[in-house]
């Protein structure tokens, strides 16, 4: 099959524009087309800009959308625009054509008729429909186009939700499916699920049932919207939007149509009676209470603030369709789960309690689990595809069958039958053969129960994904060193891996010890290179503030200095290691975590990396060598050919990023901000990241890696210090900074400009590190910095004092 280098996106609505944005994130140029507006005057009809106004507006909206659909605003240049009347011929240059127009079969068919006129004969054509049968769209297509046609259902927002459902038609060539699957996974970073051509496919079919079950519960007055969201959100490993906030995000009119797909398309569904109403929901849609798009749905934001300064959000009373004061959920299970860290224990606490909330939650899960299991093989052939669909499509940490096993396969079966629910065929088959559950492990390999063969089969392993958990389970000898904060692993081919596993992966004394152990093995020559990675929700939240605050409150300044010296020492040892060290940051990569990356030989960032040197938020400045590294890199841009060239403009960006605690909101943006070098690699598929980092490490070994030379550093002096200080003072006078912010900014400027050294004075890296440590300790001695650290530790939010 032809390589996919350019894509046409037909439709520039919310979903079409978001797909084009994610293609741009991945470096793929696209042509986005839409209709010519109907309300143009005769003169405007002759104006090309006016004819493209709809699609141009959609593209511009991408720059303002929050959360951003783009990794970098500069990527928007990869999205070309046009309209269906003037530019459809341009799809002949595209390798993949994605239809994303209104969910009406007649409109889609008209678009496909136009596509058939202009598409290249080997171009792949797909629909992003969320529920219209693929066969219905394929009917009447030219016979030469049908083998290249299929469904490709992205989930919104495509940048953030991993799921891509592939739905082949009856005539779709296997190699077409294979091409889109590999492109989706390798280039777009998607998790691919193979679905059957049934209404709403996999994920939406299941969420439809879950939503309808919740709606009918709400209609009976058993629980409020707030109570159900408290039970079905993060407490059970689901997204924070839970149930009804998700409905408001999706749009109630959209949800109504998705439910209608099942009601009209699945007459044999055993729960078809649940797939209509309730009456109050239909009335909400009629009244225009559509969720976020209309300003009110199950929730309504107000301008009023509560005692803590938070905006008051009203909840819907389904009996009156009026909004009432928010209800604070109070269940024993939700109270008890706050002190539980592991997801497995959270699930047991939430489902096995005796209070009203836990009882309802188990019934909700039992009904959903029964319904889901009964959909095999209707919507998918196996439980792995179904579990992946709900995890990747709805940001759930754990799948439905995985949850069943965690709660105890046998126990759930017994409780289901006690509640009058018949066991689905797959559960009966497992019980009959005496199986332990839907999944099991044998010799380090994960197996799943396959209903068709009534046997356990290996869960497919992605050769491009390296699981650190599997490395440890497969061979205990691979764990070379371990403590409570980190492990040193042998991941094969002469490569080590330091894996973090402290709370939020914050850097403490034991993590520093593990890093030293890894570098020592590299210095001995017993290993070729090292990767620093983990597969937890976040890479590293920075240094352990609890230790810093403890020493500061006791006045143990030697302890504070030892912490800083330890961090600086291991990072410098990493930087000048004789063998390459590759960091693999993802998601939260703050403070010391970002400084660790700066001192690594190379970085393979996840697309979703949110990074920055944000220490000013807790009243200090970076002290792990981050300022030293940013100064060194800024000075590299100062032209040698210009006598007495001013270095201030090159350093100013770094100063502003830190003084304002700016955060890069993607791997690409972290590079654009100068936090890491542009030569760093962004890996869109997080599951591939650790293997990619290992491959990069081995590539550096083969290329003959040598450690970097010490940078040329010099002091910027008092003039630059005064300029930086003036900038911070201006922010204070304008009300954007406090008196303490001014003090922090002064300390930051003092380090960046070389302390009290004369401008142009040559400096060593150690002298810069000493300045960082001195400024850090001075700020730690202030009461307001200690207050900021304490606030962050207790609430997770910064204090402005």
């Amino acid at each position: 099959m032809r390589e996919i280098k350019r894509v046409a996106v037909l439709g520039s609505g919310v979903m079409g524009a978001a797909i084009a944005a994610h293609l741009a994130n991945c470096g793929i140029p696209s042509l986005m087309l839409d209709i010519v507006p109907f309300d143009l005057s005769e003169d405007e009809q002759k104006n090309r800009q006016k004819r493209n106004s709809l699609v141009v507006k959609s593209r511009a909206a991408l720059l303002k959308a929050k959360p951003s659909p783009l990794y970098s605003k500069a990527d928007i240049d990869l999205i070309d625009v046009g309209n269906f009347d003037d530019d459809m011929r341009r799809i002949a240059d595209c390798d993949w054509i994605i239809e994303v127009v209104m969910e009406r079969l007649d409109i889609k068919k008209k678009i496909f008729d136009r596509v058939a006129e202009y598409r290249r004969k080997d171009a792949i054509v797909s629909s992003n429909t969320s529920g219209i049968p693929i066969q219905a769209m394929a009917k009447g297509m030219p016979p030469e186009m049908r083998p290249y046609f299929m469904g490709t259902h992205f989930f919104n927002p495509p940048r953030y939700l991993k799921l891509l459902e592939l739905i082949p038609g009856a005539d779709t060539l296997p190699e077409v499916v294979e091409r889109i699957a590999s492109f989706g996974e390798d280039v777009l970073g998607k998790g691919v699920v193979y679905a059957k051509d049934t209404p709403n496919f996999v994920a939406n079919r299941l969420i439809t049932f879950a939503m309808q079950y919740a709606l009918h519960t709400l209609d009976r007055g058993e629980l409020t919207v707030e109570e159900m969201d408290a039970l079905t959100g993060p407490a059970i490993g689901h997204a924070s939007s839970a149930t009804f906030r998700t409905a408001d995000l999706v749009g109630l009119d959209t949800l109504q149509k998705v439910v209608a797909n099942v009601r009209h398309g699945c007459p044999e569904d055993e729960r078809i009676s649940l797939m209509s109403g309730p009456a109050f929901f239909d009335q909400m849609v009629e009244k225009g209470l559509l969720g976020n798009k209309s300003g009110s749905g199950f929730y309504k934001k107000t301008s009023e603030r509560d005692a803590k300064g938070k905006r008051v959000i009203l909840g819907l009373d389904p009996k009156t369709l009026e909004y009432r004061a928010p209800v604070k959920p109070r269940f024993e299970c939700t109270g008890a789960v706050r002190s539980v860290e592991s997801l497995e224990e959270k699930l047991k606490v939430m489902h096995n309690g005796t209070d009203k909330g836990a009882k309802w939650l188990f019934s909700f899960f039992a009904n959903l689990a029964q319904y889901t299991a009964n959909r095999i093989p209707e919507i998918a052939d196996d439980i792995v595809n179904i579990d992946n669909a709900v995890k990747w499509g709805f940001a759930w940490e754990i799948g439905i069958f995985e949850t069943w096993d965690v709660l105890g396969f046998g126990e759930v079966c017994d409780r289901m039958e006690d509640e009058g629910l018949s066991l689905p065929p797959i559960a009966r088959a497992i019980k009959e053969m005496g199986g332990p559950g839907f999944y099991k492990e044998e010799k380090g390999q994960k197996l799943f129960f396959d209903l068709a063969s009534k046997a356990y089969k290996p869960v497919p392993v992605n050769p491009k994904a390296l699981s650190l958990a599997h490395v440890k389970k497969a061979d205990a000898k691979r764990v070379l060193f371990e403590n409570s904060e980190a492990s040193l692993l042998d991941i094969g081919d002469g490569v080590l891996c330091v894996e973090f596993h402290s709370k939020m992966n914050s850097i403490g004394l034991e993590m520093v010890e593990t890093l030293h152990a890894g570098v020592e093995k590299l210095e001995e020559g017993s290993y070729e290179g090292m990767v620093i990675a983990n597969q937890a929700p976040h890479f590293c939240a920075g240094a352990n503030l609890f230790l810093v605050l403890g020493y500061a409150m006791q006045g143990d300044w030697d302890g504070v200095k030892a912490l800083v010296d330890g961090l600086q020492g291991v990072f410098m040892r990493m930087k000048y290691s004789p063998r390459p060290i590759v960091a693999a940051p993802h998601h939260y990569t703050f403070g010391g975590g970002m400084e660790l990356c700066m001192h690594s030989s190379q970085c393979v960032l996840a697309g979703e990396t949110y990074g920055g040197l944000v220490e000013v938020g807790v009243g200090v400045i970076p002290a792990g060598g981050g300022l030293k590294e940013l100064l060194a890199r800024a000075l590299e841009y100062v032209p040698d050919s210009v006598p007495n060239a001013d270095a201030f403009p090159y350093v100013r960006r770094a100063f502003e990023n830190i003084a304002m605690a700016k955060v890069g909101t993607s791997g690409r943006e972290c590079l654009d901000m100068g936090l890491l070098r542009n030569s760093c690699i962004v890996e869109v598929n997080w599951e591939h990241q650790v293997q990619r980092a290992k491959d990069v490490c081995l590539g550096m070994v083969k290329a003959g890696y040598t450690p970097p030379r010490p940078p040329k550093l010099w002091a910027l002096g008092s003039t630059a210090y005064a300029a930086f200080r003036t900038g911070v003072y201006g922010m204070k006078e304008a009300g954007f900074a406090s008196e303490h912010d001014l003090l922090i900014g002064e300390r930051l400027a003092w380090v960046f400009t070389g302390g009290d050294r004369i401008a142009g004075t040559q400096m060593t890296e150690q002298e810069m590190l000493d300045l960082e440590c001195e400024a850090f300790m001075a700020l730690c001695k202030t009461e307001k910095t200690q207050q900021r650290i304490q606030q962050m530790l207790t609430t997770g939010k910064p204090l402005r004092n």
Side-chain angles (χ1 to χ4, degrees), residues 328-399:
K328 189 169 181 62
R330 297 186 184 279
F331 298 115
E332 288 179 17
C333 60
T334 53
V337 83
R338 292 192 188 103
S339 60
V340 178
E341 290 194 14
S342 82
L343 179 58
E344 289 192 4
E345 286 304 310
K346 283 183 178 181
L347 291 169
K348 291 173 183 176
V349 167
M350 291 296 296
H351 290 85
N352 295 336
T354 57
D355 64 295
K356 179 182 177 181
K359 287 180 177 179
W360 178 84
L361 182 61
F362 179 79
S363 292
F364 172 75
F365 171 74
N367 278 271
L368 176 59
Q370 181 205 45
Y371 184 80
T372 302
N374 281 337
R375 304 277 73 76
I376 300 172
E378 180 191 351
I379 62 175
D381 287 326
D382 58 70
I383 63 173
V384 177
N385 270 289
I386 290 175
D387 273 350
N388 284 339
V390 296
K391 287 189 291 187
W392 295 339
F394 307 123
W396 292 4
E397 290 182 50
I398 188 168

Side-chain angles (χ1 to χ4, degrees), residues 145-194:
M145 183 165 149
R146 285 200 299 270
Y148 293 88
F149 176 68
M150 63 183 294
T152 52
H153 183 210
F154 289 82
F155 274 61
N156 196 28
R159 170 184 164 179
Y160 298 98
L161 289 180
K162 189 177 178 68
L163 181 60
L164 173 60
E165 290 180 330
L166 301 187
I167 312 99
D171 302 313
T172 310
L173 291 169
E175 53 265 39
V176 168
V177 179
E178 184 181 339
R179 167 58 69 195
I180 294 297
S182 62
F183 183 82
E185 180 183 329
D186 298 341
V187 179
L188 303 183
K190 293 296 174 185
V192 171
V193 163
Y194 297 91

Side-chain angles (χ1 to χ4, degrees), residues 257-539:
K257 292 173 185 175
V258 170
V259 174
N261 285 340
V262 179
R263 186 169 65 250
H264 299 309
C266 305
E268 303 302 318
D269 189 307
E270 76 276 12
R271 305 299 290 271
I272 194 70
S273 62
L274 206 64
M275 299 299 173
S276 58
F280 85 84
F281 177 72
D282 295 331
Q283 291 165 13
M284 288 178 70
V285 176
E286 289 173 13
K287 289 184 67 173
L289 306 179
L290 305 180
N292 292 5
K293 66 174 77 174
S294 66
S296 57
F298 290 104
Y299 294 95
K300 182 177 182 179
K301 287 184 178 180
T302 70
S303 56
E304 184 182 347
R305 301 278 176 173
D306 63 15
K308 294 182 179 179
K310 292 183 178 179
R311 181 174 291 184
V312 174
I313 301 177
L314 307 178
L316 181 81
D317 181 344
K319 288 185 172 57
T320 63
L321 293 191
E322 299 293 333
Y323 292 93
R324 40 97 185 128
V327 173
K328 189 169 181 62
R330 297 186 184 279
F331 298 115
E332 288 179 17
C333 60
T334 53
V337 83
R338 292 192 188 103
S339 60
V340 178
E341 290 194 14
S342 82
L343 179 58
E344 289 192 4
E345 286 304 310
K346 283 183 178 181
L347 291 169
K348 291 173 183 176
V349 167
M350 291 296 296
H351 290 85
N352 295 336
T354 57
D355 64 295
K356 179 182 177 181
K359 287 180 177 179
W360 178 84
L361 182 61
F362 179 79
S363 292
F364 172 75
F365 171 74
N367 278 271
L368 176 59
Q370 181 205 45
Y371 184 80
T372 302
N374 281 337
R375 304 277 73 76
I376 300 172
E378 180 191 351
I379 62 175
D381 287 326
D382 58 70
I383 63 173
V384 177
N385 270 289
I386 290 175
D387 273 350
N388 284 339
V390 296
K391 287 189 291 187
W392 295 339
F394 307 123
W396 292 4
E397 290 182 50
I398 188 168
I400 294 168
F401 296 104
E402 291 169 331
T403 300
W404 193 329
D405 278 355
V406 166
L407 296 176
F409 172 74
E411 290 87 339
V412 171
C413 289
D414 292 343
R415 289 182 68 182
M416 286 174 72
E417 291 183 309
D418 289 344
E419 293 198 7
L421 296 173
S422 58
L423 293 182
I426 189 170
R428 291 199 306 269
I430 293 172
K431 285 191 75 173
E432 288 168 5
M433 71 175 294
F438 293 98
Y439 297 93
K440 68 176 184 177
E441 284 199 13
E442 285 184 0
K443 299 177 181 178
Q445 185 176 40
K446 189 175 182 180
L447 309 175
F448 75 96
F449 185 78
D450 175 57
L451 180 60
S453 62
K454 290 187 169 56
Y456 284 93
K457 293 183 175 180
V459 172
V461 175
N462 187 334
K464 296 177 182 176
L466 194 162
S467 166
L468 298 178
H470 180 74
V471 168
K472 290 186 285 188
K473 284 182 180 179
D475 184 357
K477 293 180 181 177
R478 293 288 190 93
V479 182
L480 306 177
F481 180 86
E482 190 168 29
N483 54 40
S484 65
E485 294 183 349
S487 300
L488 181 63
L489 312 176
D490 179 341
I491 57 174
D493 302 310
V495 179
L496 293 167
C497 177
V498 173
E499 179 196 24
F500 300 163
H501 43 71
S502 61
K503 186 173 182 179
M504 288 297 287
N505 288 328
S506 60
I507 304 173
L509 298 173
E510 291 188 350
M511 193 177 291
V512 169
E513 180 186 14
T514 311
L515 289 167
H516 273 301
V519 178
E520 187 172 337
K521 288 190 177 294
L522 298 183
E523 292 171 345
E524 291 171 353
S526 49
Y527 283 86
E528 297 288 348
M530 185 166 76
V531 168
I532 302 174
N534 63 70
Q535 291 164 323
H538 300 289
F539 179 70

